[in-house]
Amino acid sequence: MLLASFGSYASSHREAPLISNDPLADNTDLYAFKSPDDPNSITIIANYIPFESPEGGPNYYNFGTNVRYEIHIKNKTTTAGDDITYRFTFSGTNEDPTTFFNIRLGKQNLKATYKCEKSTDGGQTFVTIVANGVVPPANIGPRSIEGKTVGLEAADYNSLVQSAIATASSGEKIFCGPVDDPFFVDLAGAFDVGNFRPEGNSTNETKDGLSRFNVHTIAIKVPVSMLQKDGKGVQQAANILDPDYVIGVWASASRQMIKTLYGGGDVGYDGKYVQVSRLGMPLTNEAVIPIGMKDRWNSVTPYGGNDLQFAKYFTNPELALYMDDSQFGTAVPSLNALRIQSKSLGSFDFRNGKPGLYGLKGNPALDGTALAEAAFGGILLPDAASPRAVDLLPIFYTGVPNLAPYQLATGKNNNPLAAGKPFIHNFLPTLGDMLRLNMAVPATPRDDAKFSSLGLVQAAVLGITDPAYNGSTDLQFIPNMDGFPNGRRLEDDVTTIELQAVSGVVLAAVGLFYDDATAEAPVSQQLLNVLTFTSGPTKNDVGLKAAFPYVQNPWRGFDYPEKPRF
């Protein structure tokens, strides 16, 4: 008998040491967005199990039967933990153990079902809202799925997906099953010391490292009124940035502490459940937390000040060293377009270890802004060597308030501390890593000519440069205000957005312009360099669905590789 204690794991696509040995418990991505076809609902998608080859038989990928998968929602700052928790546990059945095929004669082996439970009291009690949910099988091939007699005799694979969408007893729509991995990124280039393509290697075209791979998704479509802290619908919002409509979302996976391997090959699990994986903001553990802390990061929740121990990695991010020629910038040519402000407005230096805006701390000019000591100055201006506490830290740990200086440069007359044009309020100051979404913000139609995978960065560009929005400081809907980091849409190019953010694009958007800017020409060449930078692929390898669950059907093993399905 072997007793194995599970330690802390990490999230996303195999980016931490321990989780690479436990893919069934590995969070790959988390999304939270206003449903594009339903203004009264929010869709949350938590993906698990990275790099699923569609051809991976005979034991195809499936949710772990000894893993507790959870989606956590925070809508109040007055409570200590979750305000809503969705818990999923999966079961597997072999309908015909006499065959080595996954599907044969209308029967299915490794057939998965699930139970979904919901808690609204911080996890003290749970109520079952889906008792016997169906997980579609792997998309093996035509004989297995559509085949008469020998297969499942389905009309097509999509019919299995549609029939698996459950309506919970409490009203949510839920889907659990294999799908195309919607994330897109040049993984090979990124981890070759930032050698993004084609910028960093002109002999190679950029490559989506997740192209034609599947993942397993848990997708929930929830009415806004069910997530809003007072039960209000979106029609009751005071405006499109109503602070009472902000939620925080994160996902996790937990295992029991003891795994027992018996002589006959059976496996047993015992002990309390411990968290082995979590995910809130994309790429946090992948590209911000250093390797020596990745496993520790994933062992804790974002509550109770746990994440403050990691704050230094945001206030002085490693990636910023490769955007600074006085450090390692010249060694990473693919990031040449990204350079951080060292003398913004002639004096403010935001490079690692520099003071940033700390020189203004306590200055009466900060009164009435988020940087005042009576507001959040203690967090945003902690010391003279944490320059990115003013922009990166709130993006990840608190959300961004609709307060000066966090308004667009439009109407500020070159004073970044003045009131400008509002474009975000997803402020939920729990000081922990989670996706934050203001549910009052409308969805940008996916066929809108101004829809952009650059999310809130593009909303800022439009708010500063587009005559339809830059004529006043009035609050108005700007396309892509519903994009990352105000939640995360499936289409959002989060890798590019986060690299742009590390290079200071948010600072520039609120009036702390790049070094080459002038009062007469704030849209400088350096700003254009940052805005036109891409990290490689800019969209998924297949189109998305127009209706829930929005993610595309999984790639078919038999047809692999098949033609793109845009």
Side-chain angles (χ1 to χ4, degrees), residues 280-296:
M281 289 284 283
L283 304 176
T284 295
N285 212 6
E286 197 158 29
V288 179
I289 306 300
I291 195 166
M293 296 293 288
K294 287 179 182 294
D295 298 326
R296 179 178 179 83

Side-chain angles (χ1 to χ4, degrees), residues 2 60 145 152 276 371 422 426:
L2 172 67
Y60 291 89
I145 303 301
L152 296 180
V276 298
L371 304 180
N426 64 349

Side-chain angles (χ1 to χ4, degrees), residues 274-329:
V274 293
Q275 182 178 296
V276 298
S277 178
R278 69 155 161 151
L279 188 61
M281 289 284 283
L283 304 176
T284 295
N285 212 6
E286 197 158 29
V288 179
I289 306 300
I291 195 166
M293 296 293 288
K294 287 179 182 294
D295 298 326
R296 179 178 179 83
W297 185 89
N298 240 55
S299 71
V300 300
T301 75
Y303 299 130
N306 287 329
D307 277 349
L308 291 178
Q309 63 187 300
F310 309 108
K312 62 184 178 181
Y313 305 120
F314 298 90
T315 60
N316 284 284
E318 179 189 354
L319 278 169
L321 299 175
Y322 313 117
M323 304 173 190
D324 178 0
D325 288 345
S326 69
Q327 298 291 330
F328 309 120

Side-chain angles (χ1 to χ4, degrees), residues 198-530:
E199 292 89 345
N201 187 346
S202 60
T203 62
N204 287 307
E205 295 182 1
T206 190
K207 177 186 177 183
D208 179 2
L210 300 170
S211 176
R212 293 187 169 89
F213 281 108
N214 297 327
V215 291
H216 269 65
T217 198
I218 296 173
I220 312 177
K221 188 176 183 180
V222 192
V224 169
S225 60
M226 199 174 289
L227 299 175
Q228 202 273 341
K229 61 182 180 179
D230 301 313
K232 296 179 181 178
V234 71
Q235 300 89 345
Q236 296 172 272
N239 56 56
I240 62 171
L241 291 181
D242 190 330
D244 288 338
Y245 283 73
V246 178
I247 60 171
V249 183
W250 60 287
S252 69
S254 301
R255 281 194 180 274
Q256 290 176 285
M257 292 183 66
I258 301 173
K259 177 181 179 181
T260 307
L261 304 179
Y262 297 98
D266 294 332
V267 180
Y269 293 86
D270 197 8
K272 70 176 184 178
Y273 278 89
V274 293
Q275 182 178 296
V276 298
S277 178
R278 69 155 161 151
L279 188 61
M281 289 284 283
L283 304 176
T284 295
N285 212 6
E286 197 158 29
V288 179
I289 306 300
I291 195 166
M293 296 293 288
K294 287 179 182 294
D295 298 326
R296 179 178 179 83
W297 185 89
N298 240 55
S299 71
V300 300
T301 75
Y303 299 130
N306 287 329
D307 277 349
L308 291 178
Q309 63 187 300
F310 309 108
K312 62 184 178 181
Y313 305 120
F314 298 90
T315 60
N316 284 284
E318 179 189 354
L319 278 169
L321 299 175
Y322 313 117
M323 304 173 190
D324 178 0
D325 288 345
S326 69
Q327 298 291 330
F328 309 120
T330 58
V332 187
S334 62
L335 298 180
N336 279 344
L338 306 179
R339 287 297 178 268
I340 300 164
Q341 295 94 319
S342 62
K343 51 180 185 298
S344 179
L345 304 182
S347 58
F348 298 110
D349 192 341
F350 294 96
R351 294 174 297 171
N352 281 14
K354 303 300 182 180
L357 292 181
Y358 186 78
L360 297 177
K361 190 175 180 68
N363 192 308
L366 299 182
D367 292 348
T369 75
L371 304 180
E373 288 302 296
F376 310 104
I379 298 171
L380 301 173
L381 300 174
D383 55 55
S386 300
R388 310 311 296 278
V390 77
D391 63 328
L392 292 185
L393 190 69
I395 289 172
F396 283 80
Y397 272 22
T398 67
V400 181
N402 180 23
L403 289 172
Y406 301 111
Q407 295 166 333
L408 294 180
T410 297
K412 287 188 174 183
N413 295 317
N414 296 312
N415 176 10
L417 298 178
K421 190 174 188 69
F423 79 119
I424 185 174
H425 183 105
N426 64 349
F427 188 60
L428 191 72
T430 58
L431 295 176
D433 182 282
M434 57 184 73
L435 270 179
R436 288 170 169 83
L437 171 67
N438 191 317
M439 301 183 294
V441 179
T444 305
R446 299 316 192 248
D447 59 356
D448 190 317
K450 294 179 180 178
F451 182 88
S452 171
S453 63
L454 291 182
L456 210 58
V457 170
Q458 183 64 13
V461 171
L462 294 173
I464 293 172
T465 65
D466 193 318
Y469 315 107
N470 69 2
S472 74
T473 58
D474 294 341
L475 171 61
Q476 64 184 125
F477 177 68
I478 307 170
N480 304 296
M481 286 173 66
D482 59 318
F484 180 76
N486 182 31
R488 180 186 178 187
R489 304 172 297 187
L490 291 164
E491 298 89 349
D492 287 335
D493 183 358
V494 297
T495 306
T496 295
I497 293 170
E498 290 195 1
L499 285 168
Q500 291 172 328
V502 172
S503 73
V505 73
V506 175
L507 299 169
V510 302
L512 291 158
F513 301 117
Y514 284 99
D515 299 353
D516 61 335
T518 64
E520 296 76 23
V523 181
S524 67
Q525 184 59 51
Q526 182 58 52
L527 176 58
L528 294 175
N529 291 345
V530 174

